Amino acid sequence: MATEYPLLAFNFKGRIKSLIRSEAKFNGYIVEYIYDCYTEKKTYPTISELKQRLSCFRDLIAYRIVTSLPKCYLKPDESQEEADLRYLYQIANELPGFLEERGFTAEPACGVKKSTSPLLNDDVKPYYRDYICGNTSEDYQSLHITFYDNSSRSYMEVQLRTKHMDDIAEIGVANHLSYEKRQEASAPAATRSLWANASTLMKPTSAAAAS
């Protein structure tokens, strides 16, 4: 990839999600699904329904590709943001085919955060969750795609960001702690009450699982 884009500066990062973060996200999926199900149907979901919902938990292993075009290579009248975004989507268009040749299979995003960007090719749009479209430059922005590793038989997530997007996500207003505080503050009172009593909500499913 670096050979194809010699003018770009690349930063590759990898991580395995910590047990604490994994548990928090795992429990969040369960509580959210129970809440949505009970709100809509006035009944709790079955164990099989919960298992199906948790099948989307595929980012235990994740890699991040952060790109930036040095200012000396900017085209006349092109801003840093425009150039970085153009290259980011170019890489996004090529990444599924690039990794497919190396034993990975792109997983459909099932319509979650489907991209509306004209910079992303139609043939790869079904695989990406686009957190750039519709968000401002001060919000969390990133392209996410999940791959299945046919060799290790495991899933991994790849995130594509520009340097500005990565700075906002890691040390700016969109970092995890700030995001969670905003989510909690903006949540309706009923939802906050649900979060506070999540353990109570989980008892029916826990009992069913034990039996």
Side-chain angles (χ1 to χ4, degrees), residues 13-73:
K13 304 178 182 180
R15 62 109 175 104
I16 297 178
K17 191 183 288 291
S18 71
L19 288 176
I20 294 175
R21 290 288 305 167
S22 298
E23 182 181 25
K25 190 168 185 178
F26 191 86
N27 290 339
Y29 277 145
I30 295 176
V31 172
E32 181 183 38
Y33 187 71
I34 291 174
Y35 175 78
D36 291 343
C37 184
Y38 192 81
T39 301
E40 180 181 350
K41 303 176 182 178
K42 302 304 178 185
T43 184
Y44 293 111
T46 64
I47 294 298
S48 61
E49 290 173 332
L50 281 173
K51 287 181 177 179
Q52 178 63 32
R53 176 66 182 89
L54 292 172
S55 65
C56 64
F57 190 68
R58 297 177 175 178
D59 66 339
L60 282 174
I61 302 172
Y63 294 92
R64 186 178 304 143
I65 302 174
V66 181
T67 67
S68 180
L69 182 68
K71 291 183 178 181
C72 58
Y73 295 122

